[in-house]
Amino acid sequence: MNNSVAIVGAGLAGQLAALALARCELDVSLIDQKPLAHLDPSRGSDKNLPNDQRTTALSERSVEFLTKQGLWAPLSQAASPVYAMNLGAGDTIDQSLRHQLRLDRRDADRQQLAWIVENKHLASAFQHSIRQQMSLGRIKLFDAVDIDKIAIKQDRVIIEFNDKDSLEMDLLLGCDGRYSKVRKLCFDDIRTATDYQRRALIAVISHAQNHHQVATQLFLSDGPLALLPMTTTADGVVRSSMIWSAMPDWVRAMEKLDHPTLIDNLSQRFQAITGEVHGVAGVASYPLYASISAQFTGHAVALVGDAAHAVHPLAGQGFNLAVGDVAALAECLLNAQHLGQAIGSRFALEAYSQARKIEAQKIFMLTDGLHRLFSHRHLRLPGVKSWAFPAINPVRPLKRRLIQAALS
């Protein structure tokens, strides 16, 4: 039975794919341009992790999959539940807070709406499991290499590196992000894309007022602002993850501020939500755009995560889409194995492609629609802002549908 898989891209999506497919008893090779000593028990320390201070929102469905993979137990203590979300719109934070919609876990009969996890904890859990799988010979690493050519010959994928070495595998997965080389080499980089002409400013802020596990999403005149509840530190520091999408010049100017000036700026703006801001860490920014690949699969090739789809961060669904990709792909490959089909066959991959394209389009339409709706000049009218969200508050069935659409 053919059972070898090459995964290009060793970010969180690539690592999760490697772990899930190794559990399907496939021989996995994980390939990346960067050195991966931190994943290799023979070369790096178990604690030698990249310092990633970003956060990820995990849906209930993603947590279920991580639990099945044995990855949630080490993450659960480091994850912050989201019990409610306040949505508002206005020219300023104070104005938007006066006209809010509150989505509560009780509206959807859930224990929590989502979980917020720091990327460094995700990376730690994934790394520990990969090192175990490597010790068992189920995952092999090929790091600090660049792909020069990809060819399909007699149902096999031949991957040629720029150092003239090569791999011959049964299936190739592109988990190499929004600028995927696998997508470019295999599908001629054909995709639909939307450039929002905005940047997202991200940071972890510590503040005086307890968030009580409530997230805040405000649609402001200078761009949407999200404050997501994080775990409180061992010494009692309350923290939130900030994602503020705005015009590039404004974001770059904020990013360049020294920490005392930035803290003072945010403290004045966020007073009504967080109280005084005490500290800021992990300040960075990235451009906002959305894209969906014209093809998710080809013969013996499949795209996963941002290589297949990148969406606006408004609903925090980027990594959840990647988790859904991995779960669907693992199920399709298991079905193919049970039916005696090659894992790179059209039969094995077509069901994956159809299911994930539908899901990616759904999230794209949701996030793109929200962006365009609240960027529209007519929604700057005070009258619209005053009733848009509050009108939904008493309508619990509609609130339940909103939660299911945005957070499932």
Side-chain angles (χ1 to χ4, degrees):
M1 177 72 67
N2 298 332
N3 63 356
S4 59
V5 182
I7 298 174
V8 178
L12 292 177
Q15 291 181 41
L16 181 60
L19 291 169
L21 298 190
R23 286 173 61 91
C24 295
E25 299 186 358
L26 299 175
D27 295 327
V28 176
S29 295
L30 188 57
I31 304 167
D32 203 282
Q33 287 182 312
K34 298 177 182 178
L36 302 175
H38 59 287
L39 296 178
D40 189 342
S42 68
R43 289 187 288 159
S45 163
D46 192 42
K47 296 181 179 180
N48 184 20
L49 278 167
N51 184 26
D52 188 347
Q53 298 203 46
R54 294 173 296 173
T55 59
T56 291
L58 294 176
S59 68
E60 187 174 60
R61 194 177 301 171
S62 292
V63 170
E64 288 175 1
F65 182 71
L66 293 176
T67 301
K68 290 178 182 178
Q69 298 299 312
L71 295 166
W72 182 244
L75 287 168
S76 58
Q77 296 302 312
S80 174
V82 178
Y83 293 152
M85 176 178 288
N86 291 329
L87 303 175
D91 288 332
T92 66
I93 289 177
D94 286 344
Q95 185 184 81
S96 65
L97 291 176
R98 289 197 295 270
H99 309 294
Q100 289 189 93
L101 163 66
R102 185 179 179 90
L103 300 178
D104 192 278
R105 57 180 173 169
R106 290 168 291 191
D107 294 321
D109 297 322
R110 297 184 180 187
Q111 291 185 336
Q112 61 278 316
L113 297 180
W115 296 88
I116 307 300
V117 185
E118 293 172 74
N119 283 14
K120 64 182 180 182
H121 295 306
L122 281 170
S124 178
F126 290 6
Q127 171 185 288
H128 180 69
S129 191
I130 283 178
R131 291 164 71 90
Q132 287 181 328
Q133 294 297 319
M134 286 189 66
S135 298
L136 296 171
R138 295 172 181 166
I139 297 177
K140 300 180 181 67
L141 295 183
F142 293 83
D143 63 342
V145 295
D146 196 11
I147 295 174
D148 188 50
K149 189 182 297 183
I150 297 170
I152 311 293
K153 293 183 180 178
Q154 295 180 343
D155 296 333
R156 301 277 286 175
V157 182
I158 300 171
I159 306 160
E160 296 183 12
F161 302 111
N162 56 356
D163 62 2
K164 305 307 179 185
D165 282 346
S166 64
L167 276 177
E168 189 172 332
M169 312 294 284
D170 299 306
L171 176 63
L172 170 64
L173 300 187
C175 299
D176 48 342
R178 60 179 63 181
Y179 304 113
S180 170
K181 192 164 190 178
V182 172
R183 184 183 65 221
K184 185 174 182 179
L185 290 174
C186 295
F187 306 128
D188 198 26
D189 204 19
I190 299 171
R191 67 189 193 279
T192 56
T194 299
D195 186 343
Y196 291 112
Q197 302 292 317
R198 301 286 191 275
R199 290 185 73 84
L201 178 68
I202 63 174
V204 173
I205 62 170
S206 54
H207 47 89
Q209 191 167 302
N210 196 321
H211 48 57
H212 297 294
Q213 313 307 137
V214 176
T216 300
Q217 175 77 67
L218 305 179
F219 296 90
L220 307 173
S221 58
D222 51 1
L225 165 69
L227 293 172
L228 308 177
M230 297 173 63
T231 55
T232 300
T233 65
D235 52 355
V237 176
V238 179
R239 303 177 302 155
S240 292
S241 174
M242 178 190 79
I243 307 99
W244 201 335
S245 305
M247 297 300 291
D249 289 345
W250 181 86
V251 170
R252 289 191 179 99
M254 293 287 283
E255 193 177 6
K256 290 177 181 177
L257 294 177
D258 59 74
H259 276 195
T261 304
L262 180 58
I263 289 168
D264 183 61
N265 188 306
L266 297 179
S267 194
Q268 292 181 39
R269 290 171 179 258
F270 296 171
Q271 187 68 226
I273 307 171
T274 65
E276 185 179 355
V277 174
H278 297 314
V280 63
V283 180
S285 73
Y286 58 88
L288 296 181
Y289 85 105
S291 66
I292 299 180
S293 179
Q295 292 177 256
F296 279 29
T297 60
H299 190 66
V301 180
L303 302 178
V304 171
D306 282 359
H309 43 66
V311 296
H312 195 292
L314 263 174
Q317 291 299 302
F319 188 64
N320 290 312
L321 273 174
V323 175
D325 290 348
V326 173
L329 184 63
E331 182 179 0
C332 289
L333 298 186
L334 278 175
N335 289 340
Q337 287 178 293
H338 291 157
L339 294 172
Q341 297 280 343
I343 60 173
S345 68
R346 183 177 299 276
F347 169 85
L349 299 178
E350 186 61 27
Y352 165 75
S353 177
Q354 290 181 359
R356 298 316 295 165
K357 269 193 173 182
I358 292 172
E359 188 68 13
Q361 288 284 357
K362 184 185 82 171
I363 298 300
F364 169 79
M365 290 174 65
L366 171 68
T367 55
D368 186 71
L370 283 172
H371 169 78
R372 293 181 187 282
L373 176 65
F374 287 99
S375 298
H376 199 282
R377 61 185 180 89
H378 292 307
L379 276 181
R380 296 180 183 275
L381 296 173
V384 174
K385 289 178 179 176
S386 66
W387 63 256
F389 281 134
I392 303 173
N393 262 321
V395 190
R396 192 173 181 187
L398 180 55
K399 291 166 73 173
R400 182 190 296 268
R401 290 293 297 274
L402 285 172
I403 293 170
Q404 289 173 342
L407 301 173
S408 294

